[in-house]
Amino acid sequence: MVTYLKKLLLLTGTVLTCISVYCQDLNHYFKPGQIWPDTRGRHINAHGGGIIYYNNTYYWFGEYRLPRYDKDKSHYGVSCYSSKDLLNWKYEGLALKVIDDTASQLNPGCIIERPKVIYNNKTRKFVMWFHHELKGEGYKAALTGVALSDNITGPYKYIRSLRPNAGVWPVNFPEEYRNAKVKESDLKNGSEEWKRAVREGMFVRRDFAGGQMSRDMTLFVDKDGKAYHVHASEENMTLQFSELTDDYLDFTGRYIRVLPGDSNEAPAIFYARGRYFMFASGTTGWKPNAARLYSSKKFFGEWKLIGNPCRGTEDENKTTFNSQSTMILPIQGKKNAFIYMGDRWNPDNLADSRHIWLPVEWENGYPVIKWYPNWNMNNLK
Ligand code: DGJ
């Protein structure tokens, strides 16, 4: 009898330990700003990223920044994670890797930022675009790179990097801007005349032949399946929205300038309640600044500033809860439910940058975000 009881106690103990270990290992809440362990227990290394939903699963692609324990530059690239519940993420490996060949523009030491993946229904392929800077050149090249895969998790085959829309004028670029003669060398950088010249397309003209600069970027697929490449252009002073070809692998040459001279980056676009919305940030490097919410009835339309979407303390609003937008994620099966995805950059150790995910709430028909240290899907009404 005593041995039987002992065995029973031992068994119960083991079961309880297993349950508690299992429960500890699962994430039950979003905890913005804290270490977010993947299913291996490692902080999710997918920064400036984006998520697509495919086959009942979310796939998160982001910058795989070299963690302190791994200094091998050839491990650098775009990571992929998968999840059913958005809380618990399995590492699927590097979907795009730098190419260990000095002849390739994607060689180790280049910069890959803000990767986004979309699925093309016609070609049945996954298309990745990312901000690409060349090794040793800082942020001068201002290219966008494209890669392709048959499988969502990769490997993605690098196709090329380019500056968009070489030799074509934006749709909303008046004749007088095309023919204006004013150049950078005529003006004092940052002066009122310089700002005016920027608004009136000085950099569009300068880069006309070689293609427009493309730094922070995102992709947006509209209701009709048309995809757009949205990028910070013109020395980060103006956003450009560019239509992609039907296979999503190139630019059609149809593009518009958005908010000329307003210095936006980190664009994140979504459609809800009959309008397009865009979260963006100002341009302060890795330091956070106040988010800007814009809206337009038409995608190629007049984008208007709504204001700061943050609803926190003055300091929180000034820094977007110490984060910078990367995507506004639509939640499957819930109408008008979105998650704000942002990055809290740690420039000294980019792999340790924290994820700031917050529920998008609605106030007078406009999206707003508030701080929640712990939250889950029940917060998404
Ligand atoms: C701000 C951008 O949003 C980031 O993606 C990164 O390019 C940093 N600037 C670099 O300073």
Side-chain angles (χ1 to χ4, degrees):
M1 184 65 179
V2 176
T3 353
Y4 173 75
L5 269 178
K6 261 190 189 163
K7 271 188 184 160
L8 190 70
L9 277 174
L10 204 67
L11 189 70
T12 320
T14 317
V15 170
L16 285 176
T17 316
C18 287
I19 291 175
S20 89
V21 167
Y22 177 75
C23 290
Q24 265 169 22
D25 281 348
L26 279 182
N27 300 317
H28 297 285
Y29 293 95
F30 297 104
K31 296 178 182 171
Q34 296 195 25
I35 289 283
W36 189 346
D38 64 13
T39 53
R40 303 167 303 175
R42 296 198 199 155
H43 181 52
I44 294 173
N45 196 340
H47 309 281
I51 289 179
I52 77 164
Y53 188 73
Y54 179 76
N55 251 345
N56 301 316
T57 308
Y58 293 96
Y59 291 88
W60 183 356
F61 295 86
E63 300 159 19
Y64 182 86
R65 295 292 187 168
L66 285 179
R68 285 211 193 285
Y69 58 80
D70 191 349
K71 289 280 174 230
D72 184 347
K73 283 203 165 59
S74 64
H75 292 173
Y76 183 61
V78 176
S79 52
C80 175
Y81 292 80
S82 63
S83 171
K84 297 267 185 212
D85 63 3
L86 290 169
L87 281 160
N88 297 285
W89 293 89
K90 175 173 175 261
Y91 182 58
E92 299 282 356
L94 283 181
L96 176 76
K97 248 188 175 187
V98 286
I99 299 167
D100 220 346
D101 175 357
T102 46
S104 169
Q105 288 197 318
L106 203 70
N107 60 347
C110 74
I111 297 175
I112 297 173
E113 287 182 355
R114 300 188 174 269
K116 305 285 177 300
V117 170
I118 49 180
Y119 178 65
N120 189 296
N121 266 319
K122 290 186 189 136
T123 60
R124 299 180 178 216
K125 297 207 190 270
F126 298 90
V127 182
M128 177 191 290
W129 286 88
F130 54 93
H131 172 195
H132 183 201
E133 297 290 349
L134 304 179
K135 183 181 175 184
E137 295 189 17
Y139 284 84
K140 203 171 110 231
L143 302 170
T144 183
V146 59
L148 187 68
S149 176
D150 289 327
N151 304 309
I152 188 153
T153 54
Y156 284 75
K157 189 174 174 326
Y158 173 57
I159 302 175
R160 64 177 178 143
S161 297
L162 71 157
R163 278 193 172 192
N165 300 313
V168 250
W169 295 116
V171 171
N172 57 352
F173 205 62
E175 197 65 33
E176 67 264 28
Y177 288 9
R178 296 180 196 190
N179 301 323
K181 292 283 173 278
V182 61
K183 314 188 285 302
E184 259 176 298
S185 51
D186 302 336
L187 305 165
K188 191 168 167 272
N189 197 310
S191 64
E192 284 312 312
E193 294 74 27
W194 180 90
K195 285 185 191 156
R196 181 166 170 205
V198 169
R199 284 196 302 274
E200 298 183 353
M202 175 168 74
F203 294 129
V204 178
R205 286 193 300 278
R206 183 195 67 186
D207 295 334
F208 181 73
Q212 300 296 313
M213 296 176 88
S214 178
R215 289 203 181 115
D216 276 13
M217 53 77 57
T218 191
L219 300 176
F220 179 73
V221 182
D222 212 344
K223 299 175 290 290
D224 57 4
K226 271 213 180 309
Y228 298 88
H229 186 285
V230 166
H231 53 271
S233 193
E234 305 177 35
E235 303 290 351
N236 279 357
M237 296 297 292
T238 298
L239 291 169
Q240 294 182 356
F241 291 10
S242 304
E243 188 183 73
L244 291 175
T245 49
D246 283 351
D247 58 8
Y248 300 168
L249 294 175
D250 205 350
F251 293 85
T252 63
R254 230 186 120 238
Y255 72 112
I256 57 164
R257 301 174 74 220
V258 174
L259 304 154
D262 284 0
S263 291
N264 285 297
E265 57 181 11
I269 296 186
F270 66 110
Y271 181 83
R273 301 171 172 227
R275 304 188 71 88
Y276 296 92
F277 292 102
M278 173 169 65
F279 278 55
S281 75
T283 49
T284 50
W286 298 113
K287 290 208 191 84
N289 53 59
R292 297 124 179 229
L293 171 72
Y294 299 95
S295 183
S296 175
K297 272 270 182 203
K298 285 195 192 152
F299 191 70
F300 265 26
E302 282 298 313
W303 286 80
K304 292 261 157 43
L305 178 67
I306 307 300
N308 187 331
C310 298
R311 296 290 177 271
T313 64
E314 201 181 322
D315 276 353
E316 288 170 335
N317 298 346
K318 271 201 275 194
T319 63
T320 315
F321 304 103
N322 195 355
S323 76
Q324 188 185 28
S325 45
T326 184
M327 183 174 192
I328 305 295
L329 173 69
I331 302 308
Q332 296 304 311
K334 281 198 173 194
K335 201 156 178 251
N336 297 323
F338 297 87
I339 292 178
Y340 163 87
M341 291 170 59
D343 297 284
R344 181 174 290 175
W345 299 112
N346 176 357
D348 298 324
N349 181 8
L350 283 165
D352 187 44
S353 300
R354 303 298 167 85
H355 308 288
I356 306 298
W357 284 27
L358 295 169
V360 169
E361 297 172 71
W362 293 91
E363 189 184 277
N364 306 322
Y366 292 112
V368 294
I369 49 174
K370 296 175 189 163
W371 181 255
Y372 292 94
N374 281 288
W375 65 277
N376 63 20
M377 287 303 191
N378 298 331
N379 290 67
L380 290 169
K381 278 152 212 133

